[in-house]
């Protein structure tokens, strides 16, 4: 999906922060970014707000995975993943 592609490319290019996926971004910035992707299918990540709060970009990625109807690591395969 475009949202994941755009966000991960932005993070790979600009996130020189340890633990980028551990900290959450500011909620209002996350919502603004989500609205941009929803309305335009692509967001302008070059805005200062996203450089200043780069964690909002990683938070949107995490939210995308959390909101999937089926988890990335499926329930049927959970035991195999947990044991390995």
């Amino acid at each position: 999906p475009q949202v994941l592609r755009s966000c991960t490319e932005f993070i790979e290019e600009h996130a020189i922060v340890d633990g980028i996926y551990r900290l959450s971004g500011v909620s209002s910035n996350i919502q603004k970014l989500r609205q941009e992707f929803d309305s335009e299918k692509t967001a302008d990540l070059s805005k200062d707000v996203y450089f200043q709060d780069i964690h909002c970009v990683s938070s949107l990625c995490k939210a995308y995975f959390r909101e999937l109807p089926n988890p990335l690591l499926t329930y049927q395969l959970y035991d195999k993943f947990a044991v390995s």
Side-chain angles (χ1 to χ4, degrees), residues 34-75:
R34 179 189 296 261
Q35 288 174 348
E36 283 189 44
F37 274 108
D38 288 344
S39 65
E40 303 171 22
K41 299 296 181 203
T42 184
D44 182 8
L45 293 173
S46 65
K47 293 179 181 176
D48 283 342
V49 67
Y50 304 130
F51 282 107
Q52 293 171 1
D53 182 21
I54 196 157
H55 295 288
C56 74
V57 179
S58 62
S59 293
L60 184 62
C61 285
K62 293 188 297 187
Y64 181 86
F65 285 116
R66 249 190 324 272
E67 295 169 4
L68 286 173
N70 294 311
L72 218 46
L73 305 176
T74 64
Y75 295 119

